[in-house]
Amino acid sequence: MLTPQRRPEPLTSPAAFAVFTMILTQGPVSRVEIARRTGLSSAAVTKAARPFIDAGYLRELDATERSAPGAGRPASPLTIRSDREFFIGVKITDSELIGVVTDLSAQVQVTAHRALPSPSVQDVVAELAALVADLLASAPEYGDRCHSLGMAISGDVDKAGGLVRYSPFLGWHQVPLAELVAARTGLSVTVENDVKALTVAEQWFGEGIGASSFAVVTVGTGIGCGLVVNDRVVAGAHGVAGEIGHVPVGGDGPPCHCGGAGCVEAIAGTEPILVAARAATGDESLTIERVLAIARAGDPAMREVLARAGHAIGLAMAAMANLFGPERIIVTGDVAGLASYELVEKQITRAFAGQAFGAAADCRVILRPRTFEQWARGAAAVAIQSLFTLQET
Amino acid sequence: MLTPQRRPEPLTSPAAFAVFTMILTQGPVSRVEIARRTGLSSAAVTKAARPFIDAGYLRELDATERSAPGAGRPASPLTIRSDREFFIGVKITDSELIGVVTDLSAQVQVTAHRALPSPSVQDVVAELAALVADLLASAPEYGDRCHSLGMAISGDVDKAGGLVRYSPFLGWHQVPLAELVAARTGLSVTVENDVKALTVAEQWFGEGIGASSFAVVTVGTGIGCGLVVNDRVVAGAHGVAGEIGHVPVGGDGPPCHCGGAGCVEAIAGTEPILVAARAATGDESLTIERVLAIARAGDPAMREVLARAGHAIGLAMAAMANLFGPERIIVTGDVAGLASYELVEKQITRAFAGQAFGAAADCRVILRPRTFEQWARGAAAVAIQSLFTLQET
């Protein structure tokens, strides 16, 4: 981050971080239960929580909220004041910006889109500034209580430096995006790879809660993956990790744009699905939406094309599970992927079960389509996590 | 561990752990340099090191040792007193025990073997006790200064419980090996999966030093892997991890004993190499040693069989690197693998480079054959690491 990093005043120690993030991601929860789960003393929990209560980030549940009929809660549970602060998240694609405002619990409050006149850095930054202005104007409280913007973009991103090193879809190289956007908006800005952003959203606010290791597999134009091992997102020593799209499950072929062969992405990415579907039908004008519609109508050739894609994805997921043994795998994707899940789910789960080694097959596979708004929410989740994570010194 | 866990008195805090392990794995190193690398204050480093010096685990380098001509060293470097304590490591195979005594720096001092009359638990425990007695008797200082025994065995091992859950080669299920051997030897006993033990040896005393993420790939009867991510060996949420042998790189085949298809192990394990070599020659009596000898003599058919194996291993290594981006990969193996490296090295590195995605190809690949004695050293390294690791409470 090249912009000055904000830090909430109560966040003063690892204990404060542990207590607050447990309430944020798993609350409401009582001090006694927090002590039990973190290994901190009750006194330490109370001491850590107090400044967050004073600063308005936490509150005790009301008596009325505690007495759900037939479900007694432990004494004095603490919960997040979700409206204490708001966050903007933006997913950047090559043709549009998708923006959301979320509260502190990453719940989406409002959504807005803007088409991009071009993918040039100048146009994207200008449209980002306009989108942020629109979102901030959409409710009076955002002006006072929204200071952070997260952006998610596909490609090679240096989050610490706020730099988009390379984005193939936008044709960007070495763009200091965080700095450019911070100068235009005055917000504290983070930028992260979109798949990693979605992984952070699952880790703190989604299907990854409570799992110290899990994977998010994204199915769409390409096939991507975010990995969490021992509670940390895997970054890769050389900046590459989670490239499940380039696990070679096809044997000697087909050739892949990466230079390899048999890659999942060369079988199950949108483009190879279209190539196979066009070859099967002779219709060169087929779109992915049309392929899915024809398959849903029962066409055996289109179903076979999608089945091959699902099989390849399931094999690659098994390869991943055999290597690092995640507790859960969440399979997700954009709108095109979403529409096709019903057509590939059986092949994914069957190929996974057949290739997973021994107890690796016990890994829970969750298919959970996500819209572009949810990718934007991932960007907001990164902004939240960045705000509430102690930086190592 | 079912036996009471020893703990050296000076090991009282995370700072003490950080200081001691840095000197153990990267020393000699000055207090100033330790402070720089760990982020501790100089006073904290001095305070942490003092009790280890008093207990004889550390010492300052003599002035004579410091003044290597032309190579000035920083002031007051600290170093390990390697002969302060000794450790026994044993690799258990289905036919023999390979034992070593190492010093505190995991340097092998003496080696001994014992054939197993049978792989029964009773026979193995009896021979282990005899082997330990032989090793302890081999030098007078071992009686006083050797209190820990590490064992390494292939299969599914619960290190924390000292339990061999399943060892296919020995036909063992749920054997409380640590407890049985501790009762016979009076030593503090650890048992670990053999590939993980080798990984620990590389992490603290070998090619993994200084890398927060790396992998060890073992090539032999099967193909295994140990992964270190963010400085921790990956265990797998369901007890399975590092099963690189079951990454499906062969497409639809060949079938594997695991129930999957196209697994690396079904192509590059010893048995499928023998099957392919026998099919190519019509000689059903071929052994792996003979296959390697014929290939080394230049036979094209045998060379082709081994090339296919190397290619499959390289592809699986690329799949792993694409997923978690290790800094280094160390390829190792037992004696059969050792002899064949010259015949497969080119195929391994070529397939890896061709399939690694972008900067994942920058991962350093190190081919380093290990003898069975070095696997036994891995078991001793686990005993050392267990002794000097603070248990989480």
Side-chain angles (χ1 to χ4, degrees):
Chain A
M1 280 296 307
L2 300 177
T3 53
Q5 193 64 46
R6 293 176 56 224
R7 188 74 46 226
E9 268 183 32
L11 193 68
T12 53
S13 68
F17 170 75
V19 169
F20 181 75
T21 55
M22 177 160 293
I23 299 165
L24 178 63
T25 61
Q26 300 177 41
V29 56
S30 71
R31 292 176 179 83
V32 171
E33 181 61 18
I34 297 167
R36 195 186 65 75
R37 294 191 208 165
T38 58
L40 294 167
S41 70
S42 291
V45 171
T46 297
K47 186 178 167 204
R50 187 75 249 166
F52 284 104
I53 295 171
D54 293 343
Y57 286 106
L58 296 179
R59 66 179 177 85
E60 294 195 1
L61 278 193
D62 298 338
T64 53
E65 295 174 289
R66 288 205 292 269
S67 53
R73 280 190 181 275
S76 312
L78 290 167
T79 191
I80 288 290
R81 290 183 71 143
S82 295
D83 63 353
R84 170 63 177 78
E85 186 162 344
F86 297 94
F87 299 82
I88 298 177
V90 179
K91 156 84 174 171
I92 304 171
T93 77
D94 57 350
S95 59
E96 71 168 343
L97 305 175
I98 302 98
V100 297
V101 176
T102 78
D103 65 14
L104 186 49
S105 302
Q107 294 302 304
V108 173
Q109 310 293 305
V110 58
T111 300
H113 293 230
R114 279 188 95 89
L116 289 172
S118 88
S120 76
V121 174
Q122 194 178 357
D123 279 348
V124 172
V125 170
E127 293 299 325
L128 273 163
L131 178 66
V132 165
D134 287 351
L135 288 167
L136 289 177
S138 64
E141 62 267 35
Y142 298 161
D144 291 344
R145 279 182 267 157
C146 184
H147 312 291
S148 297
L149 162 65
M151 296 178 293
I153 189 167
S154 78
D156 181 0
V157 175
D158 169 14
K159 176 170 174 280
L163 188 73
V164 179
R165 279 193 288 240
Y166 176 49
S167 171
F169 289 114
L170 292 158
W172 288 6
H173 291 269
Q174 305 292 335
V175 175
L177 188 63
E179 190 179 9
L180 293 171
V181 176
R184 286 289 289 265
T185 62
L187 298 174
S188 181
V189 177
T190 51
V191 53
E192 178 58 292
N193 167 274
D194 56 354
V195 177
K196 285 202 184 122
L198 204 60
T199 305
V200 165
E202 298 292 352
Q203 184 184 23
W204 273 31
F205 304 107
E207 298 288 352
I209 292 173
S212 80
S213 72
F214 70 92
V216 174
V217 176
T218 60
V219 179
T221 310
I223 318 287
C225 178
L227 302 180
V228 171
V229 176
N230 293 327
D231 298 313
R232 290 172 62 181
V233 177
V234 176
H238 303 282
V240 171
E243 291 291 350
I244 197 172
H246 302 281
V247 170
V249 299
D252 296 333
C256 182
H257 63 83
C258 76
C263 296
V264 180
E265 193 162 300
I267 300 167
T270 301
E271 190 58 32
I273 288 177
L274 279 180
V275 168
R278 288 168 181 167
T281 58
D283 178 356
E284 288 299 314
S285 70
L286 271 185
T287 61
I288 188 72
E289 291 75 14
R290 187 81 196 114
V291 170
L292 297 170
I294 299 172
R296 263 198 303 277
D299 181 81
M302 290 305 96
R303 284 185 171 261
E304 175 57 28
V305 165
L306 294 173
R308 269 204 303 274
H311 181 74
I313 294 166
L315 286 183
M317 284 165 47
M320 176 183 68
N322 292 348
L323 282 168
F324 94 101
E327 200 170 325
R328 306 168 197 161
I329 301 175
I330 303 142
V331 183
T332 184
D334 55 27
V335 177
L338 179 157
S340 65
Y341 278 179
E342 66 199 73
L343 300 164
V344 296
E345 178 167 356
K346 196 184 294 174
Q347 283 78 19
I348 288 177
T349 52
R350 190 187 292 157
F352 177 77
Q355 189 63 39
F357 185 76
D362 296 345
C363 171
R364 193 150 63 91
V365 174
I366 303 161
L367 283 93
R368 185 80 70 236
R370 299 289 187 205
T371 62
F372 270 135
E373 282 75 18
Q374 288 167 311
W375 288 74
R377 175 178 175 259
V382 172
I384 298 172
Q385 191 176 71
S386 295
L387 183 60
F388 288 102
T389 296
L390 284 171
Q391 280 174 313
E392 289 171 26
T393 51
Chain B
M1 281 294 309
L2 300 176
T3 52
Q5 194 62 48
R6 292 175 57 223
R7 188 73 46 224
E9 268 183 33
L11 193 68
T12 53
S13 69
F17 170 75
V19 170
F20 181 74
T21 55
M22 177 160 293
I23 299 165
L24 178 62
T25 61
Q26 299 177 40
V29 56
S30 71
R31 292 175 179 85
V32 171
E33 181 61 19
I34 296 168
R36 196 186 65 76
R37 293 192 208 166
T38 58
L40 294 167
S41 69
S42 290
V45 171
T46 297
K47 188 180 164 200
R50 187 78 249 165
F52 284 105
I53 296 171
D54 293 343
Y57 287 106
L58 296 179
R59 66 179 176 85
E60 295 194 0
L61 279 192
D62 299 338
T64 53
E65 296 173 289
R66 289 205 292 269
S67 53
R73 281 187 181 276
S76 313
L78 290 166
T79 192
I80 288 290
R81 291 184 68 142
S82 296
D83 64 352
R84 170 62 177 78
E85 186 162 343
F86 297 94
F87 298 82
I88 298 176
V90 179
K91 156 84 173 171
I92 304 173
T93 77
D94 59 348
S95 61
E96 71 168 342
L97 306 175
I98 302 98
V100 298
V101 176
T102 78
D103 64 16
L104 185 50
S105 303
Q107 295 303 304
V108 173
Q109 310 293 305
V110 57
T111 301
H113 293 230
R114 277 188 95 89
L116 289 172
S118 89
S120 75
V121 175
Q122 195 178 358
D123 279 349
V124 172
V125 171
E127 293 300 324
L128 273 164
L131 178 66
V132 166
D134 287 352
L135 287 167
L136 288 177
S138 63
E141 61 268 36
Y142 298 160
D144 291 343
R145 280 182 267 158
C146 183
H147 311 291
S148 299
L149 162 66
M151 296 178 292
I153 188 167
S154 78
D156 181 1
V157 175
D158 169 14
K159 174 169 174 278
L163 187 72
V164 179
R165 280 194 288 241
Y166 176 48
S167 172
F169 289 114
L170 292 157
W172 287 8
H173 291 269
Q174 304 293 334
V175 174
L177 187 63
E179 189 179 10
L180 293 171
V181 175
R184 287 289 289 266
T185 62
L187 298 174
S188 181
V189 177
T190 50
V191 54
E192 179 58 290
N193 166 273
D194 55 355
V195 177
K196 286 201 183 121
L198 205 58
T199 305
V200 165
E202 297 293 352
Q203 184 184 22
W204 275 31
F205 304 108
E207 299 287 352
I209 292 174
S212 80
S213 73
F214 69 92
V216 175
V217 175
T218 60
V219 179
T221 310
I223 318 286
C225 178
L227 300 180
V228 170
V229 176
N230 293 328
D231 298 313
R232 290 171 61 181
V233 177
V234 176
H238 303 281
V240 170
E243 290 291 351
I244 198 172
H246 302 282
V247 170
V249 298
D252 296 333
C256 181
H257 63 83
C258 75
C263 296
V264 180
E265 192 161 303
I267 299 167
T270 301
E271 189 58 31
I273 288 176
L274 280 180
V275 168
R278 287 167 182 167
T281 59
D283 178 355
E284 288 300 313
S285 69
L286 271 185
T287 61
I288 189 71
E289 290 76 14
R290 187 83 195 112
V291 170
L292 297 171
I294 299 172
R296 262 197 304 277
D299 181 82
M302 290 307 94
R303 283 185 171 261
E304 175 55 28
V305 165
L306 293 173
R308 268 204 304 275
H311 182 74
I313 293 166
L315 287 182
M317 283 164 47
M320 176 184 68
N322 292 348
L323 282 167
F324 93 104
E327 199 170 325
R328 305 166 198 165
I329 301 176
I330 303 141
V331 184
T332 182
D334 54 25
V335 176
L338 180 156
S340 64
Y341 278 179
E342 66 199 71
L343 300 165
V344 295
E345 178 168 357
K346 196 183 295 176
Q347 284 78 18
I348 288 178
T349 52
R350 190 187 293 159
F352 177 77
Q355 189 63 39
F357 184 78
D362 296 344
C363 172
R364 193 149 63 91
V365 174
I366 304 160
L367 283 93
R368 185 79 72 239
R370 299 291 188 203
T371 62
F372 270 134
E373 282 75 16
Q374 287 167 311
W375 289 73
R377 173 177 175 262
V382 172
I384 298 170
Q385 191 176 72
S386 296
L387 181 61
F388 287 101
T389 297
L390 283 171
Q391 279 173 314
E392 290 172 24
T393 52

